[in-house]
Amino acid sequence: METTRDRIIRAASRLLIESGRDAVTIRSVSAAAGVQTPVIYRLFDDKTALLEAVAGFGMREYLADKDALGETADPVADLARAWDLHVRFGLARPDFYLIAFSPAPADHQPDSTVRQEAVTGLRRMVERIAAAGRLRTSVERATHLVHAGGVGVVVSQLALPPHERDAGVSATAWNAVRREIVLHDHPPTATEASDLVKSHAGALRQALAGAGALSRAETELLTEWLIRISDHHA
């Protein structure tokens, strides 16, 4: 059953889609939803809180579509499809998107539940790439690069008139991000994975000589472990 809060959000969403952000005022929303303005203030405090709820409502459509993508045996291809979906949604629903992904004013912390859910979902996709032995950098850095790249593409394209937008920018940006985060174009074989681990262990062993973060005993113990790994023959 639709609540008063739901009705207000849906009315505001229609105004946002049809007439833009400036058309979403407390007065216009109260008229469209058939409620008194004090009701809106009681439920949302102010216009900013209302817009955040509206953005969350719009983003639910994106998150549902993202979940519907499912998973395949290739986590990199899955991430590429999610990237394309992200860009398509942002360009198709700019008002929802810009509210959801714009930085919050210093004096106002937004309800970022939906946005955080999107980032959490992205991180899970990156973790699958790492689990497959195909991630070049840390999960944290890769998640940040993909998120920043996707948002950057959408925001930069939205800043242009529709007839000036370059459909190839998204693919170019994805390929650049992909090169930064993906180590292998295909899942590594057992031998390749073993060689990679041994190579990294050897490099870390060499780097320990100039590191001062560990005590002598800790350095000796870690060095012993790295020697075992780098000299191990599978």
Side-chain angles (χ1 to χ4, degrees):
M1 182 177 179
E2 186 177 59
T3 65
T4 300
R5 187 178 191 278
D6 293 336
R7 188 164 78 252
I8 292 171
I9 292 174
R10 289 184 184 278
S13 297
R14 287 194 298 271
L15 288 170
L16 183 68
I17 294 172
E18 295 169 0
S19 304
R21 181 169 179 164
D22 290 341
V24 183
T25 65
I26 298 299
R27 185 179 298 276
S28 66
V29 173
S30 67
V35 300
Q36 298 296 315
T37 55
V39 175
I40 297 179
Y41 283 115
R42 186 171 66 249
L43 292 171
F44 299 99
D45 292 334
D46 56 22
K47 178 181 174 180
T48 300
L50 173 60
L51 285 172
E52 288 161 2
V54 168
F57 172 78
M59 289 293 289
R60 288 296 173 190
E61 174 188 340
Y62 161 69
L63 293 173
D65 289 344
K66 191 174 180 181
D67 287 341
L69 289 177
E71 295 181 354
T72 70
D74 187 342
V76 176
D78 291 346
L79 183 57
R81 291 188 297 134
W83 171 289
D84 290 340
L85 174 64
H86 179 99
V87 173
R88 286 199 307 272
F89 175 83
L91 296 180
R93 290 285 188 266
D95 295 303
F96 287 124
Y97 186 91
L98 291 175
I99 295 171
F101 286 98
S102 294
D107 61 347
H108 184 78
Q109 293 300 320
D111 176 8
S112 59
T113 301
V114 177
R115 180 171 54 226
Q116 187 57 48
E117 186 177 340
V119 175
T120 299
L122 169 61
R123 181 186 174 91
R124 285 196 297 267
M125 300 184 80
V126 172
E127 288 173 343
R128 289 188 62 228
I129 298 175
R134 299 174 64 184
L135 195 63
R136 182 182 297 276
T137 185
S138 68
V139 169
E140 290 75 15
R141 184 169 188 271
T143 300
H144 175 74
L145 286 173
V146 176
H147 178 67
V151 173
V153 167
V154 175
V155 172
S156 64
Q157 290 297 288
L158 289 176
L160 300 172
H163 68 278
E164 293 184 12
R165 294 172 188 170
D166 185 347
V169 167
S170 178
T172 300
W174 163 247
N175 287 331
V177 171
R178 187 182 188 282
R179 284 193 297 271
E180 285 293 317
I181 69 171
V182 177
L183 186 61
H184 297 288
D185 288 332
H186 58 84
T189 64
T191 299
E192 288 173 337
S194 176
D195 289 344
L196 181 64
V197 170
K198 288 189 284 187
S199 174
H200 285 180
L204 179 57
R205 196 171 108 205
Q206 293 300 317
L208 279 177
L214 302 177
S215 68
R216 179 176 178 180
E218 291 170 335
T219 300
E220 290 177 351
L221 180 59
L222 180 55
T223 299
E224 180 183 349
W225 290 345
L226 293 173
I227 289 174
R228 291 183 187 179
I229 293 172
S230 58
D231 292 346
H232 176 70
H233 298 285

